[in-house]
Amino acid sequence: MRIAELSRTTGVSVPTIKYYVREGLLPPGELTSPNQATYGEAHERRLRLIRALLDVGGMKVAEIADVLTAIDDPARPLHKVLGAAADRLGKASSEYDDTESAAAHAVVTDLISRRGWRTHESDPAVADLSKALASMARLGHGAFVEVLDDYADAAEQVAGADLVYVDRRVSVEDMVESVVIGTVLGEAVFSALRRLAHVDASAKLYGTDGPPEQKTS
């Protein structure tokens, strides 16, 4: 297909497609003349992945380039490729410069060690979790760490379900897109399910009979 058709199919403007080619995110099309090139399904799939990484994952162009480099390296183990995508989704810094932050980081490090998780201290999720626990401690909820393993049990179950879904995808590009979509939108899904479960658990714990009544204006 011509670049104009690729643009219509993917919803990505022609100038943006050309920009991705210049930046090395998208392979150039096959030249049919000095000023004309054709593009195939691989270009369409790559464009959709780039947009997922940008729009859903919130990644920067340089970060996307790193993920795509990992995808295009045939010697890179698949779990390393998926990890390269997931790692770019972390937001917290890795500085632990006060008492609460240092204590929270120690708790997270111990959790990872005890559960035998095959991850590393430099994983952005370590900083994210440490930051959240430190914030809870500052608010007087440091005891939350006592139920951290219960949350970890649930997280393992959710992660397993995520990867069952990812494993249904055929191409590496589809798998990486599934990781991004599952991590970002999957968190929204899990958050909503958690809120629904809270309502149910609260009703059972505090003796509410039947579902809560709907409020009417």
Side-chain angles (χ1 to χ4, degrees), residues 5-172:
E5 183 181 351
L6 179 63
S7 175
R8 287 194 300 272
T9 302
T10 61
V12 180
S13 69
V14 170
T16 300
I17 293 174
K18 291 181 177 180
Y19 168 72
Y20 292 158
V21 172
R22 288 197 305 272
E23 293 296 314
L25 302 183
L26 185 71
E30 182 179 351
L31 287 176
T32 56
S33 71
N35 298 317
Q36 294 287 340
T38 59
Y39 300 82
E41 291 183 2
H43 292 92
E44 180 181 342
R45 184 169 59 248
R46 177 57 59 92
L47 265 180
R48 295 190 187 282
L49 175 57
I50 292 170
R51 297 311 303 184
L53 295 172
L54 274 170
D55 299 337
V56 180
M59 295 184 190
K60 298 177 181 178
V61 169
E63 294 171 330
I64 293 174
D66 289 342
V67 172
L68 297 180
T69 297
I71 291 174
D72 293 333
D73 181 359
R76 194 83 174 265
L78 180 58
H79 76 277
K80 294 289 187 182
V81 176
L82 299 179
D87 286 351
R88 299 307 190 281
L89 300 173
K91 295 178 177 64
S93 68
S94 57
E95 296 180 0
Y96 311 104
D97 52 4
D98 60 19
T99 301
E100 290 83 6
S101 293
H105 180 62
V107 167
V108 175
T109 301
D110 177 66
L111 175 78
I112 292 170
S113 175
R114 284 189 293 100
R115 301 189 73 91
W117 284 354
R118 300 180 189 180
T119 186
H120 191 269
E121 186 175 330
S122 62
D123 190 308
V126 172
D128 288 334
L129 179 55
S130 298
K131 183 178 180 180
L133 293 177
S135 296
M136 296 180 81
R138 295 187 192 101
L139 293 170
H141 291 277
F144 184 84
V145 298
E146 296 172 8
V147 297
L148 197 57
D149 272 294
D150 293 331
Y151 276 78
D153 289 340
E156 287 181 354
Q157 185 174 354
V158 171
D162 285 342
L163 290 180
V164 167
Y165 172 71
V166 169
D167 196 47
R168 297 176 184 174
R169 322 309 287 181
V170 177
S171 70
V172 175

